[in-house]
PDB file of all heavy atoms in Angstrom:
ATOM      1  N   THR A   1       9.612  -4.584  -5.335  1.00 97.00           N
ATOM      2  CA  THR A   1       8.222  -4.884  -5.664  1.00 97.00           C
ATOM      3  C   THR A   1       7.317  -3.791  -5.131  1.00 97.00           C
ATOM      4  O   THR A   1       7.417  -3.419  -3.954  1.00 97.00           O
ATOM      5  CB  THR A   1       7.784  -6.232  -5.071  1.00 97.00           C
ATOM      6  OG1 THR A   1       8.651  -7.267  -5.537  1.00 97.00           O
ATOM      7  CG2 THR A   1       6.352  -6.567  -5.473  1.00 97.00           C
ATOM      8  N   ALA A   2       6.446  -3.271  -5.991  1.00 98.00           N
ATOM      9  CA  ALA A   2       5.428  -2.302  -5.569  1.00 98.00           C
ATOM     10  C   ALA A   2       4.066  -2.980  -5.708  1.00 98.00           C
ATOM     11  O   ALA A   2       3.728  -3.482  -6.775  1.00 98.00           O
ATOM     12  CB  ALA A   2       5.483  -1.047  -6.430  1.00 98.00           C
ATOM     13  N   GLU A   3       3.285  -3.008  -4.617  1.00 98.00           N
ATOM     14  CA  GLU A   3       1.992  -3.681  -4.607  1.00 98.00           C
ATOM     15  C   GLU A   3       0.894  -2.711  -4.196  1.00 98.00           C
ATOM     16  O   GLU A   3       1.118  -1.781  -3.400  1.00 98.00           O
ATOM     17  CB  GLU A   3       1.985  -4.840  -3.615  1.00 98.00           C
ATOM     18  CG  GLU A   3       2.904  -5.989  -3.951  1.00 98.00           C
ATOM     19  CD  GLU A   3       2.826  -7.082  -2.906  1.00 98.00           C
ATOM     20  OE1 GLU A   3       1.755  -7.716  -2.759  1.00 98.00           O
ATOM     21  OE2 GLU A   3       3.837  -7.289  -2.203  1.00 98.00           O
ATOM     22  N   VAL A   4      -0.298  -2.948  -4.742  1.00 97.00           N
ATOM     23  CA  VAL A   4      -1.483  -2.176  -4.376  1.00 97.00           C
ATOM     24  C   VAL A   4      -2.286  -2.984  -3.366  1.00 97.00           C
ATOM     25  O   VAL A   4      -2.640  -4.141  -3.620  1.00 97.00           O
ATOM     26  CB  VAL A   4      -2.352  -1.869  -5.608  1.00 97.00           C
ATOM     27  CG1 VAL A   4      -3.576  -1.054  -5.205  1.00 97.00           C
ATOM     28  CG2 VAL A   4      -1.535  -1.127  -6.665  1.00 97.00           C
ATOM     29  N   PHE A   5      -2.576  -2.367  -2.209  1.00 95.00           N
ATOM     30  CA  PHE A   5      -3.348  -3.010  -1.161  1.00 95.00           C
ATOM     31  C   PHE A   5      -4.566  -2.154  -0.814  1.00 95.00           C
ATOM     32  O   PHE A   5      -4.559  -0.932  -1.011  1.00 95.00           O
ATOM     33  CB  PHE A   5      -2.530  -3.155   0.134  1.00 95.00           C
ATOM     34  CG  PHE A   5      -1.357  -4.084   0.037  1.00 95.00           C
ATOM     35  CD1 PHE A   5      -0.114  -3.604  -0.355  1.00 95.00           C
ATOM     36  CD2 PHE A   5      -1.478  -5.420   0.345  1.00 95.00           C
ATOM     37  CE1 PHE A   5       0.981  -4.442  -0.435  1.00 95.00           C
ATOM     38  CE2 PHE A   5      -0.387  -6.276   0.282  1.00 95.00           C
ATOM     39  CZ  PHE A   5       0.842  -5.788  -0.113  1.00 95.00           C
ATOM     40  N   THR A   6      -5.564  -2.787  -0.254  1.00 94.00           N
ATOM     41  CA  THR A   6      -6.632  -2.042   0.406  1.00 94.00           C
ATOM     42  C   THR A   6      -6.123  -1.611   1.769  1.00 94.00           C
ATOM     43  O   THR A   6      -5.562  -2.423   2.519  1.00 94.00           O
ATOM     44  CB  THR A   6      -7.893  -2.914   0.571  1.00 94.00           C
ATOM     45  OG1 THR A   6      -8.376  -3.269  -0.717  1.00 94.00           O
ATOM     46  CG2 THR A   6      -8.977  -2.164   1.322  1.00 94.00           C
ATOM     47  N   ASP A   7      -6.271  -0.337   2.093  1.00 91.00           N
ATOM     48  CA  ASP A   7      -5.802   0.189   3.364  1.00 91.00           C
ATOM     49  C   ASP A   7      -6.591  -0.457   4.498  1.00 91.00           C
ATOM     50  O   ASP A   7      -7.805  -0.265   4.601  1.00 91.00           O
ATOM     51  CB  ASP A   7      -5.985   1.704   3.393  1.00 91.00           C
ATOM     52  CG  ASP A   7      -5.314   2.359   4.589  1.00 91.00           C
ATOM     53  OD1 ASP A   7      -5.076   1.669   5.596  1.00 91.00           O
ATOM     54  OD2 ASP A   7      -5.036   3.569   4.515  1.00 91.00           O
ATOM     55  N   PRO A   8      -5.946  -1.245   5.374  1.00 89.00           N
ATOM     56  CA  PRO A   8      -6.692  -1.927   6.443  1.00 89.00           C
ATOM     57  C   PRO A   8      -7.303  -0.964   7.455  1.00 89.00           C
ATOM     58  O   PRO A   8      -8.256  -1.321   8.148  1.00 89.00           O
ATOM     59  CB  PRO A   8      -5.635  -2.823   7.100  1.00 89.00           C
ATOM     60  CG  PRO A   8      -4.332  -2.161   6.790  1.00 89.00           C
ATOM     61  CD  PRO A   8      -4.506  -1.537   5.442  1.00 89.00           C
ATOM     62  N   LEU A   9      -6.774   0.270   7.512  1.00 89.00           N
ATOM     63  CA  LEU A   9      -7.292   1.240   8.474  1.00 89.00           C
ATOM     64  C   LEU A   9      -8.422   2.080   7.903  1.00 89.00           C
ATOM     65  O   LEU A   9      -9.215   2.641   8.667  1.00 89.00           O
ATOM     66  CB  LEU A   9      -6.161   2.156   8.950  1.00 89.00           C
ATOM     67  CG  LEU A   9      -4.979   1.463   9.637  1.00 89.00           C
ATOM     68  CD1 LEU A   9      -3.925   2.492  10.032  1.00 89.00           C
ATOM     69  CD2 LEU A   9      -5.448   0.669  10.857  1.00 89.00           C
ATOM     70  N   GLN A  10      -8.489   2.166   6.570  1.00 90.00           N
ATOM     71  CA  GLN A  10      -9.506   3.002   5.940  1.00 90.00           C
ATOM     72  C   GLN A  10     -10.071   2.354   4.675  1.00 90.00           C
ATOM     73  O   GLN A  10     -10.028   2.930   3.598  1.00 90.00           O
ATOM     74  CB  GLN A  10      -8.922   4.381   5.586  1.00 90.00           C
ATOM     75  CG  GLN A  10      -8.509   5.221   6.780  1.00 90.00           C
ATOM     76  CD  GLN A  10      -7.946   6.561   6.341  1.00 90.00           C
ATOM     77  OE1 GLN A  10      -7.066   6.638   5.496  1.00 90.00           O
ATOM     78  NE2 GLN A  10      -8.478   7.631   6.902  1.00 90.00           N
ATOM     79  N   PRO A  11     -10.586   1.135   4.790  1.00 92.00           N
ATOM     80  CA  PRO A  11     -11.147   0.525   3.591  1.00 92.00           C
ATOM     81  C   PRO A  11     -12.358   1.325   3.106  1.00 92.00           C
ATOM     82  O   PRO A  11     -13.061   1.919   3.932  1.00 92.00           O
ATOM     83  CB  PRO A  11     -11.563  -0.872   4.083  1.00 92.00           C
ATOM     84  CG  PRO A  11     -11.760  -0.719   5.560  1.00 92.00           C
ATOM     85  CD  PRO A  11     -10.778   0.315   5.996  1.00 92.00           C
ATOM     86  N   PRO A  12     -12.585   1.439   1.775  1.00 94.00           N
ATOM     87  CA  PRO A  12     -11.875   0.757   0.676  1.00 94.00           C
ATOM     88  C   PRO A  12     -10.710   1.556   0.098  1.00 94.00           C
ATOM     89  O   PRO A  12     -10.295   1.297  -1.022  1.00 94.00           O
ATOM     90  CB  PRO A  12     -12.987   0.597  -0.354  1.00 94.00           C
ATOM     91  CG  PRO A  12     -13.775   1.866  -0.210  1.00 94.00           C
ATOM     92  CD  PRO A  12     -13.774   2.165   1.268  1.00 94.00           C
ATOM     93  N   ALA A  13     -10.204   2.563   0.840  1.00 94.00           N
ATOM     94  CA  ALA A  13      -9.057   3.335   0.360  1.00 94.00           C
ATOM     95  C   ALA A  13      -7.881   2.394   0.069  1.00 94.00           C
ATOM     96  O   ALA A  13      -7.790   1.295   0.640  1.00 94.00           O
ATOM     97  CB  ALA A  13      -8.657   4.394   1.364  1.00 94.00           C
ATOM     98  N   GLN A  14      -6.995   2.849  -0.809  1.00 96.00           N
ATOM     99  CA  GLN A  14      -5.880   2.009  -1.231  1.00 96.00           C
ATOM    100  C   GLN A  14      -4.542   2.599  -0.816  1.00 96.00           C
ATOM    101  O   GLN A  14      -4.414   3.809  -0.615  1.00 96.00           O
ATOM    102  CB  GLN A  14      -5.904   1.831  -2.758  1.00 96.00           C
ATOM    103  CG  GLN A  14      -7.141   1.127  -3.273  1.00 96.00           C
ATOM    104  CD  GLN A  14      -7.163   1.051  -4.786  1.00 96.00           C
ATOM    105  OE1 GLN A  14      -7.073   2.065  -5.472  1.00 96.00           O
ATOM    106  NE2 GLN A  14      -7.267  -0.144  -5.327  1.00 96.00           N
ATOM    107  N   ILE A  15      -3.561   1.728  -0.684  1.00 96.00           N
ATOM    108  CA  ILE A  15      -2.187   2.149  -0.447  1.00 96.00           C
ATOM    109  C   ILE A  15      -1.284   1.390  -1.417  1.00 96.00           C
ATOM    110  O   ILE A  15      -1.652   0.341  -1.941  1.00 96.00           O
ATOM    111  CB  ILE A  15      -1.723   1.891   1.004  1.00 96.00           C
ATOM    112  CG1 ILE A  15      -1.855   0.400   1.347  1.00 96.00           C
ATOM    113  CG2 ILE A  15      -2.502   2.748   1.990  1.00 96.00           C
ATOM    114  CD1 ILE A  15      -1.291   0.052   2.712  1.00 96.00           C
ATOM    115  N   VAL A  16      -0.115   1.957  -1.665  1.00 97.00           N
ATOM    116  CA  VAL A  16       0.909   1.282  -2.450  1.00 97.00           C
ATOM    117  C   VAL A  16       2.120   1.086  -1.559  1.00 97.00           C
ATOM    118  O   VAL A  16       2.607   2.040  -0.941  1.00 97.00           O
ATOM    119  CB  VAL A  16       1.289   2.090  -3.701  1.00 97.00           C
ATOM    120  CG1 VAL A  16       2.444   1.407  -4.446  1.00 97.00           C
ATOM    121  CG2 VAL A  16       0.091   2.248  -4.635  1.00 97.00           C
ATOM    122  N   GLN A  17       2.574  -0.155  -1.469  1.00 97.00           N
ATOM    123  CA  GLN A  17       3.744  -0.475  -0.672  1.00 97.00           C
ATOM    124  C   GLN A  17       4.879  -0.938  -1.568  1.00 97.00           C
ATOM    125  O   GLN A  17       4.655  -1.655  -2.546  1.00 97.00           O
ATOM    126  CB  GLN A  17       3.434  -1.579   0.347  1.00 97.00           C
ATOM    127  CG  GLN A  17       2.583  -1.125   1.516  1.00 97.00           C
ATOM    128  CD  GLN A  17       2.416  -2.215   2.559  1.00 97.00           C
ATOM    129  OE1 GLN A  17       2.786  -3.368   2.351  1.00 97.00           O
ATOM    130  NE2 GLN A  17       1.858  -1.851   3.696  1.00 97.00           N
ATOM    131  N   VAL A  18       6.083  -0.526  -1.218  1.00 98.00           N
ATOM    132  CA  VAL A  18       7.280  -0.963  -1.929  1.00 98.00           C
ATOM    133  C   VAL A  18       8.101  -1.813  -0.972  1.00 98.00           C
ATOM    134  O   VAL A  18       8.347  -1.416   0.183  1.00 98.00           O
ATOM    135  CB  VAL A  18       8.111   0.238  -2.429  1.00 98.00           C
ATOM    136  CG1 VAL A  18       9.388  -0.250  -3.118  1.00 98.00           C
ATOM    137  CG2 VAL A  18       7.283   1.096  -3.373  1.00 98.00           C
ATOM    138  N   SER A  19       8.507  -2.982  -1.426  1.00 97.00           N
ATOM    139  CA  SER A  19       9.315  -3.865  -0.593  1.00 97.00           C
ATOM    140  C   SER A  19      10.569  -4.293  -1.336  1.00 97.00           C
ATOM    141  O   SER A  19      10.606  -4.335  -2.575  1.00 97.00           O
ATOM    142  CB  SER A  19       8.511  -5.105  -0.171  1.00 97.00           C
ATOM    143  OG  SER A  19       8.064  -5.826  -1.307  1.00 97.00           O
ATOM    144  N   HIS A  20      11.598  -4.597  -0.573  1.00 95.00           N
ATOM    145  CA  HIS A  20      12.861  -5.080  -1.130  1.00 95.00           C
ATOM    146  C   HIS A  20      13.346  -6.221  -0.256  1.00 95.00           C
ATOM    147  O   HIS A  20      13.415  -6.086   0.968  1.00 95.00           O
ATOM    148  CB  HIS A  20      13.909  -3.962  -1.154  1.00 95.00           C
ATOM    149  CG  HIS A  20      15.228  -4.386  -1.722  1.00 95.00           C
ATOM    150  ND1 HIS A  20      16.360  -4.540  -0.957  1.00 95.00           N
ATOM    151  CD2 HIS A  20      15.590  -4.715  -3.005  1.00 95.00           C
ATOM    152  CE1 HIS A  20      17.365  -4.914  -1.717  1.00 95.00           C
ATOM    153  NE2 HIS A  20      16.924  -5.030  -2.963  1.00 95.00           N
ATOM    154  N   ALA A  21      13.633  -7.346  -0.902  1.00 89.00           N
ATOM    155  CA  ALA A  21      14.076  -8.541  -0.176  1.00 89.00           C
ATOM    156  C   ALA A  21      13.089  -8.908   0.928  1.00 89.00           C
ATOM    157  O   ALA A  21      13.487  -9.318   2.022  1.00 89.00           O
ATOM    158  CB  ALA A  21      15.475  -8.322   0.400  1.00 89.00           C
ATOM    159  N   GLY A  22      11.809  -8.738   0.652  1.00 88.00           N
ATOM    160  CA  GLY A  22      10.774  -9.128   1.597  1.00 88.00           C
ATOM    161  C   GLY A  22      10.484  -8.124   2.686  1.00 88.00           C
ATOM    162  O   GLY A  22       9.595  -8.340   3.517  1.00 88.00           O
ATOM    163  N   GLU A  23      11.199  -6.996   2.698  1.00 95.00           N
ATOM    164  CA  GLU A  23      11.005  -5.974   3.736  1.00 95.00           C
ATOM    165  C   GLU A  23      10.337  -4.741   3.135  1.00 95.00           C
ATOM    166  O   GLU A  23      10.772  -4.215   2.110  1.00 95.00           O
ATOM    167  CB  GLU A  23      12.348  -5.574   4.341  1.00 95.00           C
ATOM    168  CG  GLU A  23      12.243  -4.491   5.401  1.00 95.00           C
ATOM    169  CD  GLU A  23      13.595  -4.052   5.931  1.00 95.00           C
ATOM    170  OE1 GLU A  23      14.608  -4.678   5.554  1.00 95.00           O
ATOM    171  OE2 GLU A  23      13.630  -3.082   6.717  1.00 95.00           O
ATOM    172  N   VAL A  24       9.253  -4.273   3.772  1.00 97.00           N
ATOM    173  CA  VAL A  24       8.574  -3.075   3.298  1.00 97.00           C
ATOM    174  C   VAL A  24       9.451  -1.866   3.590  1.00 97.00           C
ATOM    175  O   VAL A  24       9.839  -1.620   4.734  1.00 97.00           O
ATOM    176  CB  VAL A  24       7.201  -2.911   3.972  1.00 97.00           C
ATOM    177  CG1 VAL A  24       6.550  -1.593   3.544  1.00 97.00           C
ATOM    178  CG2 VAL A  24       6.288  -4.077   3.608  1.00 97.00           C
ATOM    179  N   ILE A  25       9.777  -1.098   2.535  1.00 97.00           N
ATOM    180  CA  ILE A  25      10.644   0.068   2.700  1.00 97.00           C
ATOM    181  C   ILE A  25       9.902   1.371   2.455  1.00 97.00           C
ATOM    182  O   ILE A  25      10.443   2.454   2.708  1.00 97.00           O
ATOM    183  CB  ILE A  25      11.875  -0.017   1.786  1.00 97.00           C
ATOM    184  CG1 ILE A  25      11.456  -0.033   0.304  1.00 97.00           C
ATOM    185  CG2 ILE A  25      12.722  -1.234   2.135  1.00 97.00           C
ATOM    186  CD1 ILE A  25      12.627   0.054  -0.668  1.00 97.00           C
ATOM    187  N   PHE A  26       8.641   1.278   1.983  1.00 98.00           N
ATOM    188  CA  PHE A  26       7.908   2.502   1.668  1.00 98.00           C
ATOM    189  C   PHE A  26       6.429   2.184   1.550  1.00 98.00           C
ATOM    190  O   PHE A  26       6.040   1.105   1.105  1.00 98.00           O
ATOM    191  CB  PHE A  26       8.405   3.091   0.340  1.00 98.00           C
ATOM    192  CG  PHE A  26       7.633   4.303  -0.121  1.00 98.00           C
ATOM    193  CD1 PHE A  26       7.875   5.549   0.435  1.00 98.00           C
ATOM    194  CD2 PHE A  26       6.646   4.193  -1.090  1.00 98.00           C
ATOM    195  CE1 PHE A  26       7.161   6.661   0.024  1.00 98.00           C
ATOM    196  CE2 PHE A  26       5.933   5.290  -1.507  1.00 98.00           C
ATOM    197  CZ  PHE A  26       6.192   6.533  -0.945  1.00 98.00           C
ATOM    198  N   SER A  27       5.591   3.160   1.946  1.00 97.00           N
ATOM    199  CA  SER A  27       4.147   3.028   1.801  1.00 97.00           C
ATOM    200  C   SER A  27       3.551   4.413   1.589  1.00 97.00           C
ATOM    201  O   SER A  27       3.990   5.387   2.205  1.00 97.00           O
ATOM    202  CB  SER A  27       3.535   2.375   3.051  1.00 97.00           C
ATOM    203  OG  SER A  27       2.138   2.238   2.914  1.00 97.00           O
ATOM    204  N   ALA A  28       2.563   4.508   0.686  1.00 96.00           N
ATOM    205  CA  ALA A  28       1.921   5.794   0.417  1.00 96.00           C
ATOM    206  C   ALA A  28       0.452   5.571   0.112  1.00 96.00           C
ATOM    207  O   ALA A  28       0.061   4.548  -0.465  1.00 96.00           O
ATOM    208  CB  ALA A  28       2.591   6.500  -0.761  1.00 96.00           C
ATOM    209  N   SER A  29      -0.366   6.547   0.483  1.00 94.00           N
ATOM    210  CA  SER A  29      -1.787   6.486   0.187  1.00 94.00           C
ATOM    211  C   SER A  29      -2.027   6.693  -1.298  1.00 94.00           C
ATOM    212  O   SER A  29      -1.374   7.507  -1.939  1.00 94.00           O
ATOM    213  CB  SER A  29      -2.534   7.561   0.985  1.00 94.00           C
ATOM    214  OG  SER A  29      -3.879   7.648   0.559  1.00 94.00           O
ATOM    215  N   ALA A  30      -2.995   5.932  -1.833  1.00 94.00           N
ATOM    216  CA  ALA A  30      -3.389   6.096  -3.230  1.00 94.00           C
ATOM    217  C   ALA A  30      -4.848   6.528  -3.343  1.00 94.00           C
ATOM    218  O   ALA A  30      -5.399   6.526  -4.441  1.00 94.00           O
ATOM    219  CB  ALA A  30      -3.162   4.802  -3.998  1.00 94.00           C
ATOM    220  N   GLY A  31      -5.465   6.891  -2.237  1.00 93.00           N
ATOM    221  CA  GLY A  31      -6.830   7.392  -2.284  1.00 93.00           C
ATOM    222  C   GLY A  31      -7.848   6.291  -2.506  1.00 93.00           C
ATOM    223  O   GLY A  31      -7.605   5.110  -2.228  1.00 93.00           O
ATOM    224  N   MET A  32      -8.986   6.667  -3.059  1.00 93.00           N
ATOM    225  CA  MET A  32     -10.101   5.754  -3.219  1.00 93.00           C
ATOM    226  C   MET A  32      -9.969   4.960  -4.529  1.00 93.00           C
ATOM    227  O   MET A  32      -9.340   5.408  -5.479  1.00 93.00           O
ATOM    228  CB  MET A  32     -11.414   6.525  -3.221  1.00 93.00           C
ATOM    229  CG  MET A  32     -11.652   7.304  -1.935  1.00 93.00           C
ATOM    230  SD  MET A  32     -11.654   6.236  -0.474  1.00 93.00           S
ATOM    231  CE  MET A  32     -13.141   5.275  -0.763  1.00 93.00           C
ATOM    232  N   PRO A  33     -10.577   3.770  -4.593  1.00 92.00           N
ATOM    233  CA  PRO A  33     -10.565   2.994  -5.834  1.00 92.00           C
ATOM    234  C   PRO A  33     -11.200   3.780  -6.968  1.00 92.00           C
ATOM    235  O   PRO A  33     -12.132   4.560  -6.761  1.00 92.00           O
ATOM    236  CB  PRO A  33     -11.397   1.752  -5.482  1.00 92.00           C
ATOM    237  CG  PRO A  33     -11.318   1.636  -4.002  1.00 92.00           C
ATOM    238  CD  PRO A  33     -11.255   3.051  -3.495  1.00 92.00           C
ATOM    239  N   SER A  34     -10.669   3.585  -8.168  1.00 89.00           N
ATOM    240  CA  SER A  34     -11.171   4.269  -9.357  1.00 89.00           C
ATOM    241  C   SER A  34     -10.940   3.349 -10.549  1.00 89.00           C
ATOM    242  O   SER A  34     -10.299   2.303 -10.411  1.00 89.00           O
ATOM    243  CB  SER A  34     -10.444   5.600  -9.551  1.00 89.00           C
ATOM    244  OG  SER A  34      -9.126   5.381 -10.031  1.00 89.00           O
TER     245      SER A  34
END
């Protein structure tokens, strides 16, 4: 599962997290909302 979140450290910037079996295995910055 890949989800788009608001970065809690730099709102309103966004991050994308990838999880497998409920465990986050990857996260990357997606910059500002557009």
Side-chain angles (χ1 to χ4, degrees):
T1 303
E3 294 180 65
V4 180
F5 294 90
T6 297
D7 189 338
L9 300 179
Q10 295 180 309
Q14 298 176 304
I15 58 174
V16 176
Q17 287 185 351
V18 178
S19 59
H20 180 251
E23 178 183 354
V24 176
I25 62 173
F26 176 79
S27 180
S29 171
M32 300 302 293
S34 74

